[in-house]
Amino acid sequence: MADVGARLADIGGSGTSEDQKTKYKAVVDALAASSDVGGLQATLTHLLSDAVPQVVSRNVVAHFARAVAAVAPPERLESICSWAVAAIQPQKQSFEDADHALRHALYDCYLAEGSYKEAACTLGGIDVETCSKPYADLDKAALYVKIAETFLEDDESVDAETYVNRASGLMHAVDGKVHWALQLRYRVTLARTLDARRKFLDASMRYYELSQARHEEVNQDDLLALLSKAVTCALLGNAGPQRSRILGLLYKDERVTSQMEQSDAFAAHARVLKRMFTGQVVRTPEIAAFTATLLPHQKALLGDGLTIPEKAMIQHNLAAVSLVYVNASLREVGALLDIDPRRAEQVASRMIADGRLAAKLDQVDGVLHFADDAPPLARFDDSIAKICLAVNACYDKISALSDEATSAAAA
């Protein structure tokens, strides 16, 4: 350490600015090559002091930031980078290039050890809005998307949303044809953020739009995974007209029947989607199979004591019951849906208050009276239509079985 200090003092006491830059850089390179963290710290402290003119220190500190990337092992690199970022902070505006380079190196260190929040916060410390060096909108957007992606790895959805919103104002300047990968990353990150923030119906539409991407470099398996995410979010959303429209859009996508139903990973999604769209009660085993595929934030416990999937399924099942019964006691509803009658009353009352269930609740007698404002003739026509659809479905099934039997006999 004393030898390093003496060398630095000798360099600062003689020679031109260019000579000093060359000699300082040689010292930095030698210390980085030997992974001498103490010597590197002493060097940076000297360079940031008033003893070194800024015309020299600015150039050498930028070289220092690039040189420390070669420090090994990784824990030493993390140590010197985190220390250097803190040391530069008071003079950050004078050493922007060095600060940015050090933060990128420290980001890689945190990322390698799985410290995603620390990595995102480190990269978030880069100032690209008011710094002296102008940054293009493309570079700003790429940085914000990268930070948001990293925050989401640790389920830090609030911070991720902040950076997604910043990127949103810049994406209009990003050419979708040239930089399609960045556009795709932004849209996926936006959908993931909405998902993490429990804005499930908005997330579902975003995922569905992404699942329809037609770029030749996008893997078809990834598109199917995005479609499954769209289905998942739609099933977790609050019951109501908006969800009904989204469920119809998803159910009519031929990939649901041709691929999702045939896949072990997504079959549960397809089964629950079919039951919800057709207004059938979703049974407990189907709910359990679907819930097992969910991410931790999608199974979070809500303030009313229900998890997100439990609440979504009870809401749907109550709406499905209202299509069949004119009225029903809460005890019977609880038995039908395999839930506590008090839980059924709690969810039904909230849905009625929000205008998502056309019914009246008689709390004295414990009875749900489902409203039906449609005229009798319209109800009759609707019943006939449902019977016709059921007959057609039976006919198609019988025809398919008959064709299979004929083919087997011919073979």
Side-chain angles (χ1 to χ4, degrees):
M1 186 74 70
D3 181 54
V4 172
R7 290 181 63 187
L8 294 173
D10 290 342
I11 294 171
S14 62
T16 64
S17 296
E18 293 302 320
D19 289 339
Q20 290 178 3
K21 290 178 185 177
T22 302
K23 292 177 181 178
Y24 277 133
K25 289 178 182 178
V27 171
V28 169
D29 290 338
L31 293 172
S34 62
S35 301
D36 186 346
V37 173
L40 289 168
Q41 290 177 341
T43 302
L44 183 59
T45 301
H46 175 76
L47 292 170
L48 295 176
S49 69
D50 294 336
V52 182
Q54 208 169 81
V55 68
V56 175
S57 62
R58 183 175 293 161
N59 181 271
V60 179
V61 171
H63 179 79
F64 173 95
R66 293 189 294 271
V68 295
V71 171
E75 57 269 18
R76 290 194 180 183
L77 174 59
E78 180 180 332
S79 172
I80 185 60
C81 284
S82 58
W83 181 88
V85 166
I88 290 175
Q89 189 64 30
Q91 305 179 57
K92 184 176 176 179
Q93 290 184 337
S94 300
F95 300 98
E96 288 172 348
D97 289 342
D99 179 70
H100 293 188
L102 288 167
R103 287 181 180 275
H104 278 288
L106 187 55
Y107 170 86
D108 291 336
C109 289
Y110 285 138
L111 209 63
E113 64 184 34
S115 301
Y116 297 109
K117 183 177 180 179
E118 290 80 357
C121 289
T122 298
L123 215 55
I126 296 177
D127 180 9
V128 294
E129 298 293 345
T130 60
C131 61
S132 58
K133 177 183 176 181
Y135 278 80
D137 288 344
L138 172 64
D139 297 327
K140 293 179 184 178
L143 177 66
Y144 292 149
V145 170
K146 187 176 183 179
I147 295 170
E149 288 173 332
T150 310
F151 270 125
L152 285 175
E153 291 300 315
D154 248 357
D155 287 330
E156 297 290 339
S157 57
V158 176
D159 292 315
E161 188 174 35
T162 299
Y163 285 95
V164 166
N165 291 338
R166 291 184 187 181
S168 297
L170 301 168
M171 294 309 296
H172 68 279
V174 178
D175 190 331
K177 293 182 179 179
V178 179
H179 303 289
W180 67 269
L182 177 59
Q183 282 280 4
L184 188 62
R185 285 173 55 208
Y186 161 73
R187 293 170 63 193
V188 169
T189 304
L190 175 58
R192 289 179 62 197
T193 302
L194 291 170
D195 183 354
R197 297 287 286 155
R198 301 179 188 174
K199 300 176 182 179
F200 292 118
L201 297 180
D202 292 335
S204 178
M205 285 304 302
R206 296 287 183 177
Y207 280 131
Y208 183 66
E209 291 168 1
L210 286 165
S211 76
Q212 295 179 304
R214 291 292 179 264
H215 199 283
E216 61 274 8
E217 294 188 37
V218 178
N219 189 295
Q220 293 303 308
D221 290 339
D222 292 339
L223 296 181
L224 185 62
L226 288 168
L227 178 62
S228 76
K229 290 179 181 294
V231 172
T232 297
C233 289
L235 299 180
L236 294 176
N238 287 326
Q242 183 184 2
R243 186 175 73 166
S244 296
R245 288 192 295 271
I246 296 175
L247 290 176
L249 184 67
L250 294 168
Y251 185 73
K252 293 173 184 176
D253 192 308
E254 62 180 14
R255 292 174 296 175
V256 172
T257 53
S258 64
Q259 298 181 53
M260 287 186 64
E261 284 187 357
Q262 311 303 321
S263 167
D264 292 337
F266 307 131
H269 299 69
R271 285 194 296 269
V272 176
L273 172 62
K274 183 176 181 178
R275 281 193 168 275
M276 279 197 169
F277 178 71
T278 55
Q280 302 177 60
V281 172
V282 183
R283 299 299 180 185
T284 302
E286 294 165 330
I287 295 173
F290 169 66
T291 303
T293 67
L294 300 180
L295 297 171
H297 76 270
Q298 295 171 333
K299 297 185 285 187
L301 187 66
L302 301 174
D304 55 9
L306 291 169
T307 64
I308 293 173
E310 285 174 343
K311 186 173 184 178
M313 295 304 155
I314 293 173
Q315 287 182 349
H316 163 74
N317 286 339
L318 282 171
V321 168
S322 72
L323 300 175
V324 179
Y325 295 94
V326 174
N327 55 59
S329 71
L330 291 171
R331 180 175 55 81
E332 292 170 338
V333 170
L336 180 63
L337 305 185
D338 196 21
I339 59 174
D340 189 291
R342 290 174 295 180
R343 186 69 75 189
E345 178 183 359
Q346 177 187 14
V347 177
S349 63
R350 173 55 61 187
M351 291 179 68
I352 294 170
D354 293 343
R356 291 184 285 111
L357 181 65
K360 293 181 180 179
L361 177 60
D362 184 344
Q363 291 182 302
V364 176
D365 295 329
V367 177
L368 270 173
H369 297 276
F370 300 108
D372 188 356
D373 299 328
L377 186 59
R379 291 200 300 270
F380 178 77
D381 290 343
D382 185 53
S383 299
I384 294 296
K386 288 181 178 178
I387 291 173
C388 291
L389 287 173
V391 170
N392 285 338
C394 290
Y395 175 78
D396 292 340
K397 186 67 174 177
I398 292 170
S399 296
L401 292 173
S402 178
D403 291 341
E404 289 178 5
T406 302
S407 299

Short mmCIF file of all heavy atoms in Angstrom, two decimals, residues 113-169:
data_model
loop_
_atom_site.label_atom_id
_atom_site.label_comp_id
_atom_site.label_asym_id
_atom_site.label_seq_id
_atom_site.Cartn_x
_atom_site.Cartn_y
_atom_site.Cartn_z
N GLU A 113 -25.09 -13.82 -8.84
CA GLU A 113 -25.36 -14.45 -7.54
C GLU A 113 -26.85 -14.46 -7.20
O GLU A 113 -27.24 -14.87 -6.11
CB GLU A 113 -24.58 -13.74 -6.44
CG GLU A 113 -24.96 -12.30 -6.20
CD GLU A 113 -24.08 -11.63 -5.16
OE1 GLU A 113 -22.88 -11.95 -5.09
OE2 GLU A 113 -24.60 -10.78 -4.40
N GLY A 114 -27.69 -14.00 -8.14
CA GLY A 114 -29.14 -14.05 -7.94
C GLY A 114 -29.70 -12.94 -7.08
O GLY A 114 -30.85 -13.03 -6.63
N SER A 115 -28.94 -11.87 -6.87
CA SER A 115 -29.44 -10.72 -6.09
C SER A 115 -30.09 -9.73 -7.05
O SER A 115 -29.52 -8.68 -7.38
CB SER A 115 -28.28 -10.07 -5.32
OG SER A 115 -27.66 -10.98 -4.45
N TYR A 116 -31.31 -10.07 -7.49
CA TYR A 116 -31.94 -9.31 -8.58
C TYR A 116 -32.34 -7.89 -8.16
O TYR A 116 -32.18 -6.95 -8.93
CB TYR A 116 -33.16 -10.07 -9.09
CG TYR A 116 -32.82 -11.40 -9.69
CD1 TYR A 116 -33.15 -12.59 -9.04
CD2 TYR A 116 -32.14 -11.49 -10.90
CE1 TYR A 116 -32.82 -13.82 -9.58
CE2 TYR A 116 -31.80 -12.73 -11.44
CZ TYR A 116 -32.14 -13.88 -10.78
OH TYR A 116 -31.81 -15.09 -11.31
N LYS A 117 -32.87 -7.74 -6.96
CA LYS A 117 -33.28 -6.40 -6.53
C LYS A 117 -32.07 -5.48 -6.43
O LYS A 117 -32.12 -4.32 -6.89
CB LYS A 117 -34.00 -6.48 -5.18
CG LYS A 117 -34.51 -5.12 -4.71
CD LYS A 117 -35.27 -5.23 -3.40
CE LYS A 117 -35.76 -3.86 -2.96
NZ LYS A 117 -36.54 -3.93 -1.68
N GLU A 118 -30.97 -5.97 -5.84
CA GLU A 118 -29.76 -5.16 -5.74
C GLU A 118 -29.23 -4.81 -7.13
O GLU A 118 -28.77 -3.69 -7.37
CB GLU A 118 -28.69 -5.90 -4.94
CG GLU A 118 -28.97 -6.04 -3.46
CD GLU A 118 -29.92 -7.18 -3.15
OE1 GLU A 118 -30.40 -7.83 -4.11
OE2 GLU A 118 -30.19 -7.43 -1.96
N ALA A 119 -29.29 -5.78 -8.04
CA ALA A 119 -28.82 -5.54 -9.41
C ALA A 119 -29.66 -4.45 -10.07
O ALA A 119 -29.11 -3.53 -10.70
CB ALA A 119 -28.90 -6.83 -10.23
N ALA A 120 -30.98 -4.53 -9.94
CA ALA A 120 -31.86 -3.53 -10.57
C ALA A 120 -31.66 -2.15 -9.95
O ALA A 120 -31.62 -1.14 -10.67
CB ALA A 120 -33.31 -3.97 -10.43
N CYS A 121 -31.51 -2.08 -8.63
CA CYS A 121 -31.29 -0.79 -7.96
C CYS A 121 -29.96 -0.17 -8.41
O CYS A 121 -29.86 1.05 -8.57
CB CYS A 121 -31.31 -0.97 -6.45
SG CYS A 121 -32.94 -1.33 -5.77
N THR A 122 -28.95 -1.02 -8.59
CA THR A 122 -27.65 -0.52 -9.05
C THR A 122 -27.77 0.09 -10.42
O THR A 122 -27.27 1.20 -10.69
CB THR A 122 -26.62 -1.67 -9.07
OG1 THR A 122 -26.44 -2.17 -7.74
CG2 THR A 122 -25.28 -1.19 -9.60
N LEU A 123 -28.43 -0.61 -11.33
CA LEU A 123 -28.59 -0.09 -12.69
C LEU A 123 -29.52 1.12 -12.70
O LEU A 123 -29.35 2.03 -13.51
CB LEU A 123 -29.15 -1.20 -13.59
CG LEU A 123 -28.67 -1.22 -15.05
CD1 LEU A 123 -27.16 -1.28 -15.12
CD2 LEU A 123 -29.29 -2.39 -15.79
N GLY A 124 -30.49 1.13 -11.79
CA GLY A 124 -31.40 2.26 -11.71
C GLY A 124 -30.72 3.54 -11.26
O GLY A 124 -31.28 4.64 -11.43
N GLY A 125 -29.53 3.43 -10.69
CA GLY A 125 -28.79 4.63 -10.27
C GLY A 125 -28.14 5.37 -11.42
O GLY A 125 -27.60 6.47 -11.23
N ILE A 126 -28.19 4.81 -12.62
CA ILE A 126 -27.63 5.48 -13.79
C ILE A 126 -28.58 6.59 -14.23
O ILE A 126 -29.76 6.34 -14.48
CB ILE A 126 -27.40 4.49 -14.94
CG1 ILE A 126 -26.35 3.46 -14.55
CG2 ILE A 126 -27.00 5.21 -16.21
CD1 ILE A 126 -26.10 2.40 -15.60
N ASP A 127 -28.06 7.79 -14.33
CA ASP A 127 -28.87 8.95 -14.73
C ASP A 127 -28.71 9.18 -16.23
O ASP A 127 -27.65 9.59 -16.68
CB ASP A 127 -28.42 10.18 -13.95
CG ASP A 127 -29.22 11.42 -14.31
OD1 ASP A 127 -30.23 11.27 -15.03
OD2 ASP A 127 -28.84 12.52 -13.89
N VAL A 128 -29.76 8.89 -16.99
CA VAL A 128 -29.69 9.10 -18.45
C VAL A 128 -30.58 10.26 -18.88
O VAL A 128 -30.68 10.56 -20.07
CB VAL A 128 -30.10 7.82 -19.20
CG1 VAL A 128 -29.11 6.71 -18.98
CG2 VAL A 128 -31.51 7.37 -18.81
N GLU A 129 -31.21 10.93 -17.93
CA GLU A 129 -32.11 12.03 -18.28
C GLU A 129 -31.44 13.39 -18.18
O GLU A 129 -31.61 14.24 -19.06
CB GLU A 129 -33.35 11.99 -17.36
CG GLU A 129 -34.18 10.71 -17.49
CD GLU A 129 -34.87 10.60 -18.84
OE1 GLU A 129 -34.95 11.60 -19.57
OE2 GLU A 129 -35.34 9.49 -19.17
N THR A 130 -30.68 13.60 -17.10
CA THR A 130 -30.08 14.93 -16.88
C THR A 130 -28.56 14.92 -16.98
O THR A 130 -27.93 15.92 -16.67
CB THR A 130 -30.49 15.46 -15.49
OG1 THR A 130 -30.01 14.56 -14.47
CG2 THR A 130 -32.00 15.57 -15.38
N CYS A 131 -27.97 13.80 -17.39
CA CYS A 131 -26.51 13.75 -17.48
C CYS A 131 -26.03 14.58 -18.68
O CYS A 131 -26.79 14.89 -19.59
CB CYS A 131 -26.04 12.30 -17.61
SG CYS A 131 -26.65 11.45 -19.05
N SER A 132 -24.75 14.92 -18.66
CA SER A 132 -24.18 15.77 -19.71
C SER A 132 -24.10 15.06 -21.05
O SER A 132 -24.21 15.67 -22.11
CB SER A 132 -22.78 16.24 -19.29
OG SER A 132 -21.92 15.13 -19.05
N LYS A 133 -23.93 13.74 -21.01
CA LYS A 133 -23.86 12.96 -22.25
C LYS A 133 -25.27 12.64 -22.73
O LYS A 133 -26.05 12.02 -22.02
CB LYS A 133 -23.09 11.66 -22.00
CG LYS A 133 -23.03 10.74 -23.21
CD LYS A 133 -22.32 9.44 -22.85
CE LYS A 133 -22.33 8.46 -24.02
NZ LYS A 133 -21.65 7.19 -23.67
N PRO A 134 -25.63 13.07 -23.95
CA PRO A 134 -27.00 12.81 -24.44
C PRO A 134 -27.21 11.33 -24.77
O PRO A 134 -26.36 10.70 -25.40
CB PRO A 134 -27.10 13.67 -25.70
CG PRO A 134 -25.68 13.82 -26.17
CD PRO A 134 -24.83 13.83 -24.93
N TYR A 135 -28.33 10.79 -24.33
CA TYR A 135 -28.68 9.39 -24.61
C TYR A 135 -29.88 9.38 -25.56
O TYR A 135 -30.85 10.12 -25.36
CB TYR A 135 -29.02 8.64 -23.32
CG TYR A 135 -27.82 8.13 -22.57
CD1 TYR A 135 -27.08 8.96 -21.76
CD2 TYR A 135 -27.43 6.80 -22.69
CE1 TYR A 135 -25.96 8.49 -21.07
CE2 TYR A 135 -26.32 6.32 -22.00
CZ TYR A 135 -25.59 7.17 -21.20
OH TYR A 135 -24.49 6.70 -20.52
N ALA A 136 -29.83 8.52 -26.56
CA ALA A 136 -30.94 8.38 -27.49
C ALA A 136 -32.11 7.72 -26.79
O ALA A 136 -31.94 6.97 -25.82
CB ALA A 136 -30.51 7.56 -28.71
N ASP A 137 -33.32 7.98 -27.30
CA ASP A 137 -34.51 7.36 -26.71
C ASP A 137 -34.41 5.84 -26.73
O ASP A 137 -34.89 5.17 -25.82
CB ASP A 137 -35.76 7.81 -27.48
CG ASP A 137 -36.12 9.26 -27.20
OD1 ASP A 137 -35.61 9.81 -26.20
OD2 ASP A 137 -36.91 9.84 -27.96
N LEU A 138 -33.79 5.29 -27.78
CA LEU A 138 -33.62 3.84 -27.89
C LEU A 138 -32.81 3.31 -26.71
O LEU A 138 -33.17 2.30 -26.10
CB LEU A 138 -32.95 3.49 -29.20
CG LEU A 138 -32.53 2.02 -29.39
CD1 LEU A 138 -33.76 1.12 -29.39
CD2 LEU A 138 -31.73 1.84 -30.67
N ASP A 139 -31.70 3.98 -26.39
CA ASP A 139 -30.83 3.54 -25.29
C ASP A 139 -31.53 3.67 -23.94
O ASP A 139 -31.40 2.80 -23.07
CB ASP A 139 -29.53 4.34 -25.29
CG ASP A 139 -28.72 4.13 -26.56
OD1 ASP A 139 -28.77 3.01 -27.09
OD2 ASP A 139 -28.05 5.07 -27.01
N LYS A 140 -32.28 4.76 -23.77
CA LYS A 140 -33.02 4.94 -22.52
C LYS A 140 -34.06 3.84 -22.34
O LYS A 140 -34.19 3.25 -21.27
CB LYS A 140 -33.71 6.32 -22.52
CG LYS A 140 -32.78 7.50 -22.46
CD LYS A 140 -33.59 8.79 -22.50
CE LYS A 140 -32.71 10.02 -22.55
NZ LYS A 140 -33.51 11.27 -22.62
N ALA A 141 -34.82 3.60 -23.41
CA ALA A 141 -35.87 2.57 -23.34
C ALA A 141 -35.28 1.20 -23.03
O ALA A 141 -35.82 0.45 -22.20
CB ALA A 141 -36.65 2.54 -24.65
N ALA A 142 -34.16 0.87 -23.68
CA ALA A 142 -33.51 -0.43 -23.45
C ALA A 142 -33.07 -0.56 -21.99
O ALA A 142 -33.22 -1.64 -21.38
CB ALA A 142 -32.32 -0.60 -24.39
N LEU A 143 -32.54 0.52 -21.42
CA LEU A 143 -32.11 0.50 -20.02
C LEU A 143 -33.30 0.32 -19.09
O LEU A 143 -33.25 -0.52 -18.17
CB LEU A 143 -31.37 1.80 -19.69
CG LEU A 143 -30.91 1.94 -18.22
CD1 LEU A 143 -29.85 0.91 -17.90
CD2 LEU A 143 -30.39 3.35 -17.95
N TYR A 144 -34.37 1.05 -19.32
CA TYR A 144 -35.54 0.97 -18.44
C TYR A 144 -36.19 -0.42 -18.50
O TYR A 144 -36.63 -0.96 -17.48
CB TYR A 144 -36.56 2.05 -18.81
CG TYR A 144 -36.09 3.46 -18.52
CD1 TYR A 144 -36.51 4.53 -19.31
CD2 TYR A 144 -35.22 3.72 -17.47
CE1 TYR A 144 -36.08 5.82 -19.04
CE2 TYR A 144 -34.79 5.01 -17.19
CZ TYR A 144 -35.22 6.06 -18.00
OH TYR A 144 -34.80 7.34 -17.73
N VAL A 145 -36.26 -0.99 -19.69
CA VAL A 145 -36.83 -2.33 -19.83
C VAL A 145 -35.97 -3.35 -19.09
O VAL A 145 -36.48 -4.23 -18.40
CB VAL A 145 -36.98 -2.71 -21.32
CG1 VAL A 145 -37.33 -4.20 -21.47
CG2 VAL A 145 -38.05 -1.86 -21.99
N LYS A 146 -34.65 -3.21 -19.21
CA LYS A 146 -33.74 -4.12 -18.53
C LYS A 146 -33.89 -4.04 -17.02
O LYS A 146 -33.91 -5.08 -16.32
CB LYS A 146 -32.30 -3.77 -18.94
CG LYS A 146 -31.24 -4.75 -18.43
CD LYS A 146 -29.86 -4.36 -18.97
CE LYS A 146 -28.79 -5.34 -18.54
NZ LYS A 146 -27.45 -4.95 -19.10
N ILE A 147 -34.05 -2.84 -16.50
CA ILE A 147 -34.22 -2.66 -15.06
C ILE A 147 -35.55 -3.27 -14.61
O ILE A 147 -35.62 -3.97 -13.59
CB ILE A 147 -34.16 -1.17 -14.68
CG1 ILE A 147 -32.75 -0.60 -14.96
CG2 ILE A 147 -34.52 -0.96 -13.22
CD1 ILE A 147 -32.66 0.90 -14.84
N ALA A 148 -36.61 -3.02 -15.37
CA ALA A 148 -37.93 -3.57 -15.02
C ALA A 148 -37.91 -5.09 -15.04
O ALA A 148 -38.46 -5.75 -14.14
CB ALA A 148 -38.99 -3.03 -15.98
N GLU A 149 -37.28 -5.67 -16.05
CA GLU A 149 -37.17 -7.14 -16.12
C GLU A 149 -36.47 -7.69 -14.88
O GLU A 149 -36.88 -8.73 -14.33
CB GLU A 149 -36.37 -7.54 -17.37
CG GLU A 149 -37.09 -7.34 -18.68
CD GLU A 149 -36.20 -7.59 -19.88
OE1 GLU A 149 -34.96 -7.41 -19.75
OE2 GLU A 149 -36.72 -7.96 -20.94
N THR A 150 -35.41 -7.01 -14.45
CA THR A 150 -34.64 -7.49 -13.30
C THR A 150 -35.45 -7.38 -12.01
O THR A 150 -35.41 -8.28 -11.16
CB THR A 150 -33.33 -6.71 -13.17
OG1 THR A 150 -32.66 -6.68 -14.44
CG2 THR A 150 -32.41 -7.35 -12.16
N PHE A 151 -36.18 -6.29 -11.84
CA PHE A 151 -37.04 -6.15 -10.66
C PHE A 151 -38.08 -7.26 -10.60
O PHE A 151 -38.38 -7.80 -9.53
CB PHE A 151 -37.75 -4.79 -10.66
CG PHE A 151 -36.98 -3.70 -9.96
CD1 PHE A 151 -36.67 -2.50 -10.62
CD2 PHE A 151 -36.56 -3.84 -8.64
CE1 PHE A 151 -35.97 -1.50 -9.97
CE2 PHE A 151 -35.86 -2.84 -7.99
CZ PHE A 151 -35.57 -1.66 -8.66
N LEU A 152 -38.62 -7.63 -11.75
CA LEU A 152 -39.66 -8.66 -11.78
C LEU A 152 -39.12 -10.03 -11.39
O LEU A 152 -39.88 -10.89 -10.92
CB LEU A 152 -40.29 -8.74 -13.18
CG LEU A 152 -41.25 -7.61 -13.53
CD1 LEU A 152 -41.70 -7.72 -14.98
CD2 LEU A 152 -42.47 -7.62 -12.61
N GLU A 153 -37.82 -10.25 -11.57
CA GLU A 153 -37.23 -11.52 -11.16
C GLU A 153 -37.32 -11.72 -9.65
O GLU A 153 -37.28 -12.84 -9.15
CB GLU A 153 -35.76 -11.60 -11.60
CG GLU A 153 -35.56 -11.71 -13.09
CD GLU A 153 -36.20 -12.94 -13.68
OE1 GLU A 153 -36.05 -14.03 -13.08
OE2 GLU A 153 -36.88 -12.83 -14.72
N ASP A 154 -37.44 -10.62 -8.90
CA ASP A 154 -37.61 -10.69 -7.44
C ASP A 154 -39.03 -10.31 -7.03
O ASP A 154 -39.28 -9.98 -5.86
CB ASP A 154 -36.61 -9.75 -6.75
CG ASP A 154 -35.55 -10.51 -5.97
OD1 ASP A 154 -35.62 -11.75 -5.93
OD2 ASP A 154 -34.63 -9.87 -5.41
N ASP A 155 -39.96 -10.29 -8.00
CA ASP A 155 -41.37 -9.94 -7.74
C ASP A 155 -41.52 -8.54 -7.15
O ASP A 155 -42.47 -8.28 -6.38
CB ASP A 155 -42.03 -10.97 -6.80
CG ASP A 155 -42.31 -12.28 -7.50
OD1 ASP A 155 -42.53 -12.27 -8.73
OD2 ASP A 155 -42.29 -13.33 -6.83
N GLU A 156 -40.63 -7.65 -7.51
CA GLU A 156 -40.74 -6.25 -7.07
C GLU A 156 -41.57 -5.50 -8.11
O GLU A 156 -41.07 -4.71 -8.90
CB GLU A 156 -39.35 -5.63 -6.91
CG GLU A 156 -38.49 -6.28 -5.85
CD GLU A 156 -38.99 -5.98 -4.44
OE1 GLU A 156 -39.73 -4.99 -4.25
OE2 GLU A 156 -38.66 -6.76 -3.52
N SER A 157 -42.88 -5.74 -8.08
CA SER A 157 -43.75 -5.24 -9.14
C SER A 157 -43.93 -3.72 -9.10
O SER A 157 -44.11 -3.09 -10.15
CB SER A 157 -45.12 -5.92 -9.06
OG SER A 157 -45.71 -5.71 -7.79
N VAL A 158 -43.90 -3.12 -7.93
CA VAL A 158 -44.09 -1.66 -7.84
C VAL A 158 -42.93 -0.93 -8.52
O VAL A 158 -43.14 -0.01 -9.32
CB VAL A 158 -44.21 -1.22 -6.36
CG1 VAL A 158 -44.30 0.30 -6.27
CG2 VAL A 158 -45.43 -1.86 -5.72
N ASP A 159 -41.70 -1.34 -8.20
CA ASP A 159 -40.53 -0.73 -8.83
C ASP A 159 -40.50 -1.03 -10.32
O ASP A 159 -40.13 -0.18 -11.14
CB ASP A 159 -39.25 -1.23 -8.17
CG ASP A 159 -39.10 -0.75 -6.74
OD1 ASP A 159 -39.34 0.44 -6.50
OD2 ASP A 159 -38.75 -1.55 -5.86
N ALA A 160 -40.87 -2.26 -10.69
CA ALA A 160 -40.90 -2.63 -12.11
C ALA A 160 -41.88 -1.74 -12.87
O ALA A 160 -41.58 -1.29 -13.98
CB ALA A 160 -41.28 -4.10 -12.26
N GLU A 161 -43.03 -1.46 -12.27
CA GLU A 161 -44.03 -0.63 -12.93
C GLU A 161 -43.51 0.78 -13.17
O GLU A 161 -43.79 1.40 -14.20
CB GLU A 161 -45.31 -0.59 -12.09
CG GLU A 161 -46.47 0.09 -12.78
CD GLU A 161 -47.76 -0.01 -11.98
OE1 GLU A 161 -47.68 0.02 -10.74
OE2 GLU A 161 -48.83 -0.14 -12.59
N THR A 162 -42.71 1.29 -12.23
CA THR A 162 -42.13 2.62 -12.40
C THR A 162 -41.28 2.70 -13.67
O THR A 162 -41.40 3.64 -14.47
CB THR A 162 -41.26 2.98 -11.18
OG1 THR A 162 -42.07 2.98 -10.01
CG2 THR A 162 -40.60 4.34 -11.35
N TYR A 163 -40.45 1.69 -13.88
CA TYR A 163 -39.56 1.72 -15.04
C TYR A 163 -40.28 1.33 -16.33
O TYR A 163 -39.92 1.82 -17.42
CB TYR A 163 -38.34 0.81 -14.79
CG TYR A 163 -37.36 1.46 -13.83
CD1 TYR A 163 -37.40 1.18 -12.47
CD2 TYR A 163 -36.44 2.38 -14.29
CE1 TYR A 163 -36.53 1.80 -11.58
CE2 TYR A 163 -35.55 3.01 -13.42
CZ TYR A 163 -35.60 2.71 -12.06
OH TYR A 163 -34.74 3.35 -11.20
N VAL A 164 -41.30 0.50 -16.24
CA VAL A 164 -42.11 0.21 -17.43
C VAL A 164 -42.81 1.48 -17.89
O VAL A 164 -42.89 1.76 -19.10
CB VAL A 164 -43.14 -0.90 -17.12
CG1 VAL A 164 -44.19 -0.98 -18.22
CG2 VAL A 164 -42.44 -2.24 -17.01
N ASN A 165 -43.32 2.26 -16.96
CA ASN A 165 -43.98 3.51 -17.31
C ASN A 165 -43.00 4.49 -17.95
O ASN A 165 -43.37 5.23 -18.88
CB ASN A 165 -44.62 4.15 -16.08
CG ASN A 165 -45.81 3.36 -15.57
OD1 ASN A 165 -46.41 2.59 -16.32
ND2 ASN A 165 -46.16 3.53 -14.31
N ARG A 166 -41.77 4.51 -17.47
CA ARG A 166 -40.76 5.37 -18.09
C ARG A 166 -40.47 4.93 -19.52
O ARG A 166 -40.33 5.76 -20.43
CB ARG A 166 -39.47 5.36 -17.28
CG ARG A 166 -39.57 6.04 -15.92
CD ARG A 166 -38.21 6.06 -15.22
NE ARG A 166 -38.30 6.56 -13.86
CZ ARG A 166 -37.27 6.69 -13.04
NH1 ARG A 166 -36.06 6.37 -13.45
NH2 ARG A 166 -37.44 7.15 -11.81
N ALA A 167 -40.39 3.62 -19.71
CA ALA A 167 -40.13 3.10 -21.06
C ALA A 167 -41.31 3.36 -21.99
O ALA A 167 -41.11 3.59 -23.19
CB ALA A 167 -39.84 1.60 -20.99
N SER A 168 -42.52 3.35 -21.44
CA SER A 168 -43.72 3.54 -22.27
C SER A 168 -43.69 4.85 -23.04
O SER A 168 -44.13 4.92 -24.19
CB SER A 168 -44.97 3.49 -21.39
OG SER A 168 -45.12 2.24 -20.78
N GLY A 169 -43.16 5.89 -22.41
CA GLY A 169 -43.10 7.19 -23.07
C GLY A 169 -42.02 7.28 -24.15
O GLY A 169 -41.95 8.29 -24.85
#
